[in-house]
Amino acid sequence: MTQITLYGPAISTYVRTVRMILTETNTSYDLQPVDIFSDRSQEYLAKHPFGKVPALEVDGEILYETRAIVEYLDAVVGNHAFTPDEPMGQARMRQIMSIVDNYLYSPSISVITIQRLIVPSQGGQPDEAAIQAAVPKIQTALGAIEAIATCNPYLLGNMITLADLYLMPVMLYLSKTPEIDKVTGETPKLKSWWESINQRPSFLQVIG
Ligand SMILES: N[C@@H](CCC(=O)N[C@@H](CS)C(=O)NCC(=O)O)C(=O)O
C-alpha cells in the first residue's frame, strides 16, 4: 500500500492546493506540520533544500514544487481527471498556475495577507504603502486570468482543473481583506466563479 506524507502547515495556500486533490480523490495521507514562521530544521531542509512548503513523500521518495506534486497526483490518483484532454486546455491550465506562482502569490499572500491578517494579529500596524503598491499587481494578475478563463462554471469550462485548485486558496485569503472588492472589480467572471466554487465540499474540508 502506498504511504503518502504531506509536509506543511494547514494554513499554506500551496499545501491547501495539494490537500484538495488528495481530498477530491479520496486519497489517504498523513499531514506533517512544518512551522514556516521559524527557521526550517535540517531534517526538513533535507527534504526541501529551499525550505518552502509543501513537500510530498511517496513511499520514501520526496517530491517538492506544488505544480510537480499536483500533476503527479493527478496522474497516479486522479486518473488525469483534473487536466484537460486537449493541448490548448492543458497549456491554459499551466499558464494560470504560472500566473498564480509568478505574479499573483507574492502581492496577494506575501504582502496583502501578511499586512492585513498577520501583522494586526501580532499587534502591529499594516504597511498601507506596501498594500497600495500590491493592489495593481493583483489586478493585473487576476485580469490576465480573467482574459483566458471562461469561468463557466470552472476556470477552463465544464471540468474543474488544477488551475482552479491553485487559485482558490489565494482567493480565500484575499476575500478576508478589504482589498477584495478592489482587486476583483474588473474581473466579473472570476468574481462569480469564486462566489460559487468557494462552497465546494473538498475546499470547505481543507480550510476547516
Ligand atoms: N515554488 C514553491 C512555492 C511554495 C511556497 O512559496 N510556499 C510558501 C507557503 S504557501 C512557503 O513555503 N512560505 C515560507 C517561506 O517562504 O519561508 C511551490 O510551488 O511549492
Side-chain angles (χ1 to χ4, degrees):
M1 197 176 107
T2 301
Q3 178 73 38
I4 298 180
T5 306
L6 177 63
Y7 295 89
I11 58 164
S12 150
T13 61
Y14 286 112
V15 169
R16 286 177 170 178
T17 295
V18 176
R19 291 183 76 197
M20 276 197 71
I21 188 165
L22 289 164
T23 306
E24 290 271 346
T25 55
N26 290 316
T27 305
S28 58
Y29 65 99
D30 288 328
L31 182 65
Q32 287 290 331
V34 173
D35 180 0
I36 53 170
F37 296 109
S38 327
D39 288 344
R40 294 316 100 74
S41 66
Q42 286 306 316
E43 191 188 354
Y44 187 69
L45 289 171
K47 299 184 199 308
H48 193 320
F50 302 100
K52 301 278 185 186
V53 293
L56 189 81
E57 189 165 357
V58 182
D59 289 337
E61 185 153 358
I62 300 286
L63 196 52
Y64 60 84
E65 288 303 299
T66 305
R67 182 174 151 190
I69 293 172
V70 292
E71 293 214 26
Y72 167 78
L73 288 173
D74 189 29
V76 297
V77 295
N79 199 22
H80 301 283
F82 296 86
T83 301
D85 286 336
E86 82 294 0
M88 183 54 82
Q90 293 170 5
R92 291 295 188 205
M93 179 188 84
R94 293 178 181 127
Q95 186 180 9
I96 292 171
M97 292 157 84
S98 289
I99 292 170
V100 173
D101 279 340
N102 296 309
Y103 310 114
L104 183 65
Y105 178 87
S106 176
S108 303
I109 305 299
S110 310
V111 181
I112 302 252
T113 303
I114 297 287
Q115 292 303 323
R116 284 285 185 230
L117 306 178
I118 307 290
V119 168
S121 77
Q122 295 172 341
Q125 286 293 323
D127 181 340
E128 294 293 339
I131 291 169
Q132 294 323 310
V135 165
K137 295 179 184 169
I138 298 170
Q139 287 169 327
T140 300
L142 291 181
I145 296 173
E146 173 97 351
I148 56 180
T150 67
C151 303
N152 188 23
Y154 302 108
L155 289 179
L156 294 171
N158 60 11
M159 67 182 279
I160 190 166
T161 70
L162 300 177
D164 297 85
L165 308 191
Y166 247 64
L167 186 54
M168 290 167 73
V170 178
M171 289 302 291
L172 178 65
Y173 280 118
L174 285 175
S175 74
K176 294 177 188 294
T177 75
E179 277 65 40
I180 185 65
D181 289 337
K182 226 182 283 176
V183 297
T184 56
E186 302 294 317
T187 56
K189 286 186 297 174
L190 274 183
K191 195 169 187 301
S192 62
W193 161 83
W194 168 243
E195 280 160 8
S196 69
I197 206 166
N198 70 33
Q199 291 304 307
R200 194 171 176 91
S202 65
F203 189 56
L204 296 177
Q205 194 176 323
V206 159
I207 66 176

Short mmCIF file of all heavy atoms in Angstrom, two decimals, residues 9 11-16 18 34-38 40 44 48 50-55 64-69 101 105 109-110 166 173, ligand 1:
data_model
loop_
_atom_site.label_atom_id
_atom_site.label_comp_id
_atom_site.label_asym_id
_atom_site.label_seq_id
_atom_site.Cartn_x
_atom_site.Cartn_y
_atom_site.Cartn_z
N PRO A 9 2.19 23.40 6.75
CA PRO A 9 1.12 23.83 7.65
C PRO A 9 -0.21 23.91 6.93
O PRO A 9 -0.25 24.25 5.73
CB PRO A 9 1.59 25.23 8.08
CG PRO A 9 2.40 25.72 6.95
CD PRO A 9 3.01 24.52 6.28
N ILE A 11 -2.39 26.08 7.00
CA ILE A 11 -2.77 27.43 6.56
C ILE A 11 -2.16 27.81 5.21
O ILE A 11 -2.55 28.81 4.63
CB ILE A 11 -2.36 28.50 7.59
CG1 ILE A 11 -0.84 28.44 7.84
CG2 ILE A 11 -3.16 28.38 8.88
CD1 ILE A 11 -0.29 29.69 8.52
N SER A 12 -1.20 27.04 4.73
CA SER A 12 -0.49 27.41 3.50
C SER A 12 -1.38 27.22 2.27
O SER A 12 -2.05 26.20 2.11
CB SER A 12 0.77 26.53 3.36
OG SER A 12 1.09 26.33 2.01
N THR A 13 -1.36 28.21 1.37
CA THR A 13 -2.17 28.10 0.15
C THR A 13 -1.73 26.90 -0.69
O THR A 13 -2.55 26.16 -1.22
CB THR A 13 -2.08 29.38 -0.71
OG1 THR A 13 -0.72 29.59 -1.10
CG2 THR A 13 -2.60 30.58 0.04
N TYR A 14 -0.42 26.72 -0.83
CA TYR A 14 0.07 25.62 -1.67
C TYR A 14 -0.23 24.26 -1.04
O TYR A 14 -0.54 23.29 -1.74
CB TYR A 14 1.56 25.78 -1.96
CG TYR A 14 1.88 26.87 -2.96
CD1 TYR A 14 2.54 28.03 -2.58
CD2 TYR A 14 1.52 26.74 -4.30
CE1 TYR A 14 2.85 29.03 -3.50
CE2 TYR A 14 1.82 27.73 -5.22
CZ TYR A 14 2.48 28.87 -4.82
OH TYR A 14 2.76 29.86 -5.74
N VAL A 15 -0.13 24.19 0.28
CA VAL A 15 -0.49 22.94 0.97
C VAL A 15 -1.98 22.66 0.72
O VAL A 15 -2.39 21.53 0.46
CB VAL A 15 -0.17 23.04 2.48
CG1 VAL A 15 -0.77 21.87 3.24
CG2 VAL A 15 1.35 23.09 2.68
N ARG A 16 -2.79 23.71 0.76
CA ARG A 16 -4.23 23.53 0.53
C ARG A 16 -4.52 23.02 -0.87
O ARG A 16 -5.40 22.19 -1.08
CB ARG A 16 -4.97 24.85 0.81
CG ARG A 16 -5.04 25.13 2.30
CD ARG A 16 -5.69 26.46 2.61
NE ARG A 16 -5.92 26.55 4.05
CZ ARG A 16 -6.44 27.61 4.67
NH1 ARG A 16 -6.77 28.67 3.98
NH2 ARG A 16 -6.63 27.59 5.97
N VAL A 18 -2.60 21.11 -2.66
CA VAL A 18 -2.28 19.67 -2.69
C VAL A 18 -3.33 18.87 -1.92
O VAL A 18 -3.79 17.81 -2.37
CB VAL A 18 -0.86 19.41 -2.12
CG1 VAL A 18 -0.58 17.92 -2.06
CG2 VAL A 18 0.19 20.12 -2.96
N VAL A 34 4.72 21.84 9.38
CA VAL A 34 6.05 22.48 9.32
C VAL A 34 5.83 23.92 9.76
O VAL A 34 4.90 24.57 9.28
CB VAL A 34 6.62 22.45 7.88
CG1 VAL A 34 7.91 23.25 7.78
CG2 VAL A 34 6.82 21.03 7.39
N ASP A 35 6.64 24.41 10.69
CA ASP A 35 6.49 25.78 11.17
C ASP A 35 7.20 26.72 10.20
O ASP A 35 8.43 26.76 10.15
CB ASP A 35 7.08 25.90 12.58
CG ASP A 35 6.95 27.31 13.14
OD1 ASP A 35 6.39 28.18 12.43
OD2 ASP A 35 7.40 27.54 14.27
N ILE A 36 6.40 27.48 9.42
CA ILE A 36 7.04 28.35 8.42
C ILE A 36 7.39 29.73 8.99
O ILE A 36 7.92 30.57 8.28
CB ILE A 36 6.19 28.51 7.14
CG1 ILE A 36 4.76 28.96 7.46
CG2 ILE A 36 6.19 27.24 6.32
CD1 ILE A 36 3.96 29.37 6.23
N PHE A 37 7.08 29.92 10.27
CA PHE A 37 7.44 31.21 10.88
C PHE A 37 8.74 31.13 11.67
O PHE A 37 9.15 32.09 12.30
CB PHE A 37 6.28 31.74 11.74
CG PHE A 37 5.05 32.05 10.90
CD1 PHE A 37 3.92 31.26 10.99
CD2 PHE A 37 5.05 33.11 10.00
CE1 PHE A 37 2.80 31.53 10.20
CE2 PHE A 37 3.94 33.39 9.21
CZ PHE A 37 2.81 32.60 9.31
N SER A 38 9.38 29.95 11.67
CA SER A 38 10.71 29.83 12.27
C SER A 38 11.65 29.22 11.24
O SER A 38 11.20 28.77 10.18
CB SER A 38 10.73 28.88 13.47
OG SER A 38 9.56 28.92 14.16
N ARG A 40 13.70 26.62 9.22
CA ARG A 40 13.42 25.21 8.94
C ARG A 40 14.49 24.33 9.57
O ARG A 40 15.67 24.71 9.65
CB ARG A 40 13.44 24.91 7.43
CG ARG A 40 12.41 25.50 6.51
CD ARG A 40 11.00 25.49 6.98
NE ARG A 40 10.66 26.81 7.50
CZ ARG A 40 10.43 27.88 6.75
NH1 ARG A 40 10.43 27.78 5.47
NH2 ARG A 40 10.16 29.06 7.27
N TYR A 44 14.03 18.96 7.72
CA TYR A 44 13.13 19.40 6.66
C TYR A 44 13.91 19.86 5.43
O TYR A 44 13.54 19.57 4.29
CB TYR A 44 12.16 20.49 7.13
CG TYR A 44 11.13 20.78 6.05
CD1 TYR A 44 10.15 19.84 5.72
CD2 TYR A 44 11.18 21.95 5.30
CE1 TYR A 44 9.24 20.06 4.69
CE2 TYR A 44 10.27 22.18 4.26
CZ TYR A 44 9.30 21.23 3.97
OH TYR A 44 8.42 21.44 2.93
N HIS A 48 13.49 19.39 1.44
CA HIS A 48 13.22 20.51 0.53
C HIS A 48 14.34 21.52 0.70
O HIS A 48 14.33 22.32 1.64
CB HIS A 48 11.86 21.13 0.88
CG HIS A 48 11.32 22.07 -0.16
ND1 HIS A 48 12.11 22.97 -0.85
CD2 HIS A 48 10.06 22.23 -0.64
CE1 HIS A 48 11.34 23.65 -1.69
NE2 HIS A 48 10.10 23.22 -1.59
N PHE A 50 15.04 24.26 -0.49
CA PHE A 50 14.69 25.68 -0.49
C PHE A 50 13.84 26.05 0.73
O PHE A 50 13.48 27.21 0.91
CB PHE A 50 13.96 26.05 -1.79
CG PHE A 50 14.80 25.72 -3.01
CD1 PHE A 50 14.57 24.56 -3.74
CD2 PHE A 50 15.84 26.55 -3.39
CE1 PHE A 50 15.36 24.24 -4.84
CE2 PHE A 50 16.63 26.24 -4.49
CZ PHE A 50 16.39 25.09 -5.22
N GLY A 51 13.48 25.04 1.53
CA GLY A 51 12.79 25.29 2.78
C GLY A 51 11.34 25.71 2.65
O GLY A 51 10.71 26.11 3.62
N LYS A 52 10.79 25.62 1.45
CA LYS A 52 9.38 26.00 1.24
C LYS A 52 8.48 24.83 1.58
O LYS A 52 8.92 23.68 1.70
CB LYS A 52 9.16 26.42 -0.21
CG LYS A 52 10.02 27.58 -0.67
CD LYS A 52 9.43 28.88 -0.24
CE LYS A 52 10.21 30.07 -0.79
NZ LYS A 52 9.71 31.33 -0.28
N VAL A 53 7.20 25.11 1.67
CA VAL A 53 6.20 24.05 1.79
C VAL A 53 5.27 24.16 0.59
O VAL A 53 5.06 25.27 0.08
CB VAL A 53 5.41 24.18 3.10
CG1 VAL A 53 6.29 23.92 4.30
CG2 VAL A 53 4.69 25.52 3.24
N PRO A 54 4.71 23.05 0.13
CA PRO A 54 4.79 21.71 0.71
C PRO A 54 5.93 20.88 0.13
O PRO A 54 6.56 21.25 -0.85
CB PRO A 54 3.45 21.10 0.25
CG PRO A 54 3.21 21.72 -1.10
CD PRO A 54 3.77 23.12 -1.01
N ALA A 55 6.13 19.71 0.81
CA ALA A 55 6.89 18.61 0.22
C ALA A 55 6.02 17.37 0.37
O ALA A 55 5.23 17.28 1.33
CB ALA A 55 8.22 18.42 0.95
N TYR A 64 9.03 17.91 -4.36
CA TYR A 64 8.61 19.26 -3.98
C TYR A 64 8.39 20.09 -5.23
O TYR A 64 8.72 19.66 -6.33
CB TYR A 64 9.61 19.92 -3.01
CG TYR A 64 11.02 20.10 -3.53
CD1 TYR A 64 11.35 21.19 -4.30
CD2 TYR A 64 11.99 19.15 -3.24
CE1 TYR A 64 12.65 21.36 -4.77
CE2 TYR A 64 13.28 19.30 -3.70
CZ TYR A 64 13.61 20.41 -4.47
OH TYR A 64 14.88 20.57 -4.93
N GLU A 65 7.82 21.29 -5.02
CA GLU A 65 7.25 22.19 -6.02
C GLU A 65 5.80 21.72 -6.29
O GLU A 65 5.56 20.61 -6.81
CB GLU A 65 8.05 22.27 -7.32
CG GLU A 65 9.36 23.02 -7.17
CD GLU A 65 9.16 24.46 -6.64
OE1 GLU A 65 8.49 25.27 -7.29
OE2 GLU A 65 9.68 24.74 -5.54
N THR A 66 4.90 22.62 -5.92
CA THR A 66 3.48 22.25 -5.91
C THR A 66 2.98 21.77 -7.27
O THR A 66 2.23 20.80 -7.36
CB THR A 66 2.64 23.46 -5.42
OG1 THR A 66 3.16 23.85 -4.15
CG2 THR A 66 1.18 23.12 -5.30
N ARG A 67 3.43 22.46 -8.32
CA ARG A 67 2.93 22.03 -9.63
C ARG A 67 3.35 20.60 -9.95
O ARG A 67 2.56 19.80 -10.47
CB ARG A 67 3.43 22.99 -10.72
CG ARG A 67 2.89 22.58 -12.04
CD ARG A 67 3.20 23.55 -13.12
NE ARG A 67 3.26 22.77 -14.35
CZ ARG A 67 3.68 23.23 -15.50
NH1 ARG A 67 4.09 24.47 -15.59
NH2 ARG A 67 3.71 22.47 -16.56
N ALA A 68 4.61 20.27 -9.63
CA ALA A 68 5.07 18.89 -9.86
C ALA A 68 4.25 17.92 -9.02
O ALA A 68 3.89 16.82 -9.49
CB ALA A 68 6.56 18.79 -9.53
N ILE A 69 3.97 18.32 -7.80
CA ILE A 69 3.22 17.43 -6.89
C ILE A 69 1.81 17.18 -7.42
O ILE A 69 1.35 16.03 -7.50
CB ILE A 69 3.17 18.04 -5.47
CG1 ILE A 69 4.57 18.06 -4.83
CG2 ILE A 69 2.18 17.28 -4.59
CD1 ILE A 69 4.66 18.83 -3.51
N ASP A 101 1.74 31.47 -9.53
CA ASP A 101 3.09 31.35 -8.93
C ASP A 101 3.90 32.64 -9.06
O ASP A 101 4.52 33.08 -8.09
CB ASP A 101 3.89 30.27 -9.67
CG ASP A 101 3.56 28.87 -9.19
OD1 ASP A 101 3.02 28.73 -8.08
OD2 ASP A 101 3.85 27.92 -9.94
N TYR A 105 0.79 35.28 -6.35
CA TYR A 105 1.04 34.82 -4.98
C TYR A 105 1.72 35.90 -4.13
O TYR A 105 1.28 36.21 -3.02
CB TYR A 105 1.90 33.54 -5.00
CG TYR A 105 2.23 33.06 -3.60
CD1 TYR A 105 1.37 32.22 -2.92
CD2 TYR A 105 3.40 33.49 -2.96
CE1 TYR A 105 1.66 31.81 -1.62
CE2 TYR A 105 3.68 33.08 -1.67
CZ TYR A 105 2.82 32.25 -1.01
OH TYR A 105 3.10 31.85 0.28
N ILE A 109 -0.29 37.18 -1.05
CA ILE A 109 -0.02 36.50 0.22
C ILE A 109 1.13 37.18 0.96
O ILE A 109 0.97 37.57 2.12
CB ILE A 109 0.30 35.00 -0.03
CG1 ILE A 109 -0.85 34.33 -0.82
CG2 ILE A 109 0.55 34.29 1.30
CD1 ILE A 109 -2.21 34.35 -0.15
N SER A 110 2.25 37.35 0.28
CA SER A 110 3.42 37.91 0.99
C SER A 110 3.19 39.35 1.41
O SER A 110 3.80 39.83 2.35
CB SER A 110 4.67 37.83 0.12
OG SER A 110 4.80 36.52 -0.39
N TYR A 166 -5.36 25.75 -7.75
CA TYR A 166 -4.28 26.70 -7.49
C TYR A 166 -4.81 28.05 -7.03
O TYR A 166 -4.25 28.68 -6.13
CB TYR A 166 -3.46 26.90 -8.77
CG TYR A 166 -2.05 26.38 -8.70
CD1 TYR A 166 -1.81 25.02 -8.54
CD2 TYR A 166 -0.96 27.23 -8.78
CE1 TYR A 166 -0.52 24.53 -8.47
CE2 TYR A 166 0.33 26.75 -8.71
CZ TYR A 166 0.53 25.40 -8.56
OH TYR A 166 1.81 24.92 -8.48
N TYR A 173 -7.78 33.94 0.94
CA TYR A 173 -7.13 34.95 1.79
C TYR A 173 -7.48 36.37 1.32
O TYR A 173 -7.76 37.24 2.15
CB TYR A 173 -5.61 34.73 1.81
CG TYR A 173 -5.22 33.64 2.77
CD1 TYR A 173 -4.58 32.49 2.33
CD2 TYR A 173 -5.50 33.75 4.14
CE1 TYR A 173 -4.24 31.47 3.21
CE2 TYR A 173 -5.16 32.74 5.02
CZ TYR A 173 -4.52 31.60 4.56
OH TYR A 173 -4.19 30.59 5.44
N1 LIG B 1 7.55 27.26 -5.64
C1 LIG B 1 7.02 26.71 -4.42
C2 LIG B 1 6.42 27.84 -3.58
C3 LIG B 1 5.91 27.35 -2.26
C4 LIG B 1 5.71 28.50 -1.27
O1 LIG B 1 6.01 29.68 -1.54
N2 LIG B 1 5.21 28.13 -0.09
C5 LIG B 1 5.06 29.10 0.98
C6 LIG B 1 3.81 28.81 1.80
S1 LIG B 1 2.30 28.93 0.90
C7 LIG B 1 6.25 28.99 1.92
O2 LIG B 1 6.90 27.96 1.97
N3 LIG B 1 6.50 30.05 2.70
C8 LIG B 1 7.51 30.05 3.71
C9 LIG B 1 8.78 30.70 3.29
O3 LIG B 1 8.85 31.26 2.18
O4 LIG B 1 9.71 30.69 4.09
C10 LIG B 1 5.98 25.64 -4.75
O5 LIG B 1 5.43 25.65 -5.86
O6 LIG B 1 5.75 24.75 -3.94
#
